[in-house]
């Protein structure tokens, strides 16, 4: 089963966009707009990890963490907490970690880095499988394994990095320059033709035959990996 994450943030846009992104990454996601609601959600359905803002309209995130730690869990372990907040003072970070937070990430944040930190915490706390699933495509970032409709797909390291980036952002249109920056960093100095080349490699391996197409071109912008329609 997918790990359950609880997103706690009083800004509706941040909460909704982050929740949607995490669902696309293969997680089950709940959300809360304040501390009291977060504690109610955690009691109703204990999460595997909480993404917690510090600045909330009722209880601050540090107090929410204290109360989360007091909630009973079936496995007897405390729920992991990743602070995700605009408060970037060193004293806030130290306080959050001293109180028992598992990590502290400041806004604005890089999506791939945030997902990597989430998975690192889940590995340390022993929560579940980290396979990313979009339709019949499965990507195992730990084992660098890919299957489509149960069939293994062999990818080069660069092809895997590109697919991993597309899957992490499934449903979002990614400009070529953004893909180049995330997958190749600065190796090709703004030459986005390498993105087109590797997209064609992935299409040959993933979108051949009768399977629904996953990778789509958005002309004049870039590419998007979409979940096939039922």
């Amino acid at each position: 089963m997918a790990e359950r994450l609880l997103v706690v943030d009083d800004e509706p846009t941040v909460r909704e966009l982050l929740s949607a992104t995490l669902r696309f990454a293969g997680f089950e996601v709940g959300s809360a707009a304040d501390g009291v609601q977060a504690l109610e959600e955690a009691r109703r359905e204990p999460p595997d990890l909480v993404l917690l803002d510090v600045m909330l309209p009722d209880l601050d995130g540090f107090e929410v963490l204290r109360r989360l730690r007091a909630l009973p869990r079936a496995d007897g372990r405390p729920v992991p907490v990743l602070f995700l907040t605009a408060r970037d003072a060193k004293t806030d970070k130290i306080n959050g970690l001293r109180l028992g937070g598992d990590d502290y990430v400041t806004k604005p944040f890089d999506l791939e880095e945030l997902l990597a930190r989430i998975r690192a915490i889940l590995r340390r706390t022993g929560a579940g499988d980290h396979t990313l699933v979009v339709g019949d495509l499965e990507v195992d970032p730990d084992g660098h394994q890919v299957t489509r409709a149960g069939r293994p797909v062999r990818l080069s390291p660069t092809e895997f990095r590109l697919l991993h980036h597309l899957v992490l952002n499934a449903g979002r249109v990614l400009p070529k320059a953004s893909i180049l920056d995330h997958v190749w960093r600065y190796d090709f100095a703004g030459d986005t033709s390498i993105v087109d080349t590797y997209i064609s490699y992935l299409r040959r391996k993933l979108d051949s035959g009768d399977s629904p197409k996953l990778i789509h071109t958005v002309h004049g912008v870039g590419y998007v990996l979409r979940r096939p329609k039922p």
Side-chain angles (χ1 to χ4, degrees), residues 127-154:
D129 184 6
H130 308 110
T131 300
L132 308 175
V133 179
V134 179
D136 61 358
L137 174 69
E138 296 188 7
V139 178
D140 175 5
D142 298 327
H144 278 231
Q145 303 290 323
V146 177
T147 62
R148 178 94 203 261
R151 176 180 61 86
V153 180
R154 296 184 63 179

Side-chain angles (χ1 to χ4, degrees), residues 165 174-183 192:
H165 183 57
L174 300 176
K176 293 181 186 179
S178 172
I179 296 173
L180 185 70
D181 182 47
H182 280 84
V183 178
T192 58

Side-chain angles (χ1 to χ4, degrees), residues 105-126:
V105 176
T106 55
K107 302 173 183 176
F109 52 87
D110 178 85
L111 177 60
E112 286 197 72
E113 179 183 354
L114 177 64
L115 287 168
R117 288 173 181 257
I118 289 171
R119 293 193 178 96
I121 294 171
L122 292 172
R123 282 195 297 271
R124 289 200 303 269
T125 56

Side-chain angles (χ1 to χ4, degrees), residues 2 11 16 20 24 28 30 35 54 63 97 121 135 140 150 155 162 172 175 180 190 209 217 220 223:
E11 296 182 41
E16 290 162 13
F24 276 123
E28 180 184 341
V54 174
E63 178 60 26
L97 296 175
I121 294 171
D140 175 5
L155 299 180
L162 175 56
R172 295 174 59 194
L180 185 70
T217 302
Y223 298 99

Side-chain angles (χ1 to χ4, degrees), residues 6 32 41 46 63 65 83 169 179 193 196 199 217 230:
L6 177 60
E41 284 289 317
E63 178 60 26
L65 171 62
F83 283 108
N169 294 277
I179 296 173
S193 64
D196 301 321
I199 286 287
T217 302

Side-chain angles (χ1 to χ4, degrees), residues 22-164:
L22 293 170
R23 288 189 185 99
F24 276 123
F27 297 105
E28 180 184 341
V29 184
S31 65
D34 57 45
V36 170
Q37 187 181 0
L39 293 167
E40 290 172 353
E41 284 289 317
R43 289 190 190 95
R44 183 180 64 82
E45 193 166 358
D48 294 301
L49 183 144
V50 177
L51 285 82
L52 180 60
D53 193 4
V54 174
M55 297 181 290
L56 297 171
D58 48 4
L59 310 170
D60 70 21
F62 301 138
E63 178 60 26
V64 175
L65 171 62
R66 291 189 189 96
R67 298 191 187 190
L68 281 172
R69 289 288 188 256
L71 293 180
R73 279 167 53 100
D75 58 11
R77 296 182 296 181
V79 58
V81 171
L82 184 154
F83 283 108
L84 186 61
T85 177
R87 281 178 54 171
D88 58 359
K90 184 177 180 180
T91 52
D92 287 325
K93 183 173 183 178
I94 291 172
N95 192 33
L97 296 175
R98 180 180 60 80
L99 290 171
D102 295 86
D103 205 343
Y104 195 105
V105 176
T106 55
K107 302 173 183 176
F109 52 87
D110 178 85
L111 177 60
E112 286 197 72
E113 179 183 354
L114 177 64
L115 287 168
R117 288 173 181 257
I118 289 171
R119 293 193 178 96
I121 294 171
L122 292 172
R123 282 195 297 271
R124 289 200 303 269
T125 56
D129 184 6
H130 308 110
T131 300
L132 308 175
V133 179
V134 179
D136 61 358
L137 174 69
E138 296 188 7
V139 178
D140 175 5
D142 298 327
H144 278 231
Q145 303 290 323
V146 177
T147 62
R148 178 94 203 261
R151 176 180 61 86
V153 180
R154 296 184 63 179
L155 299 180
S156 71
T158 303
E159 290 167 347
F160 186 89
R161 287 198 305 274
L162 175 56
L163 178 62
H164 186 231

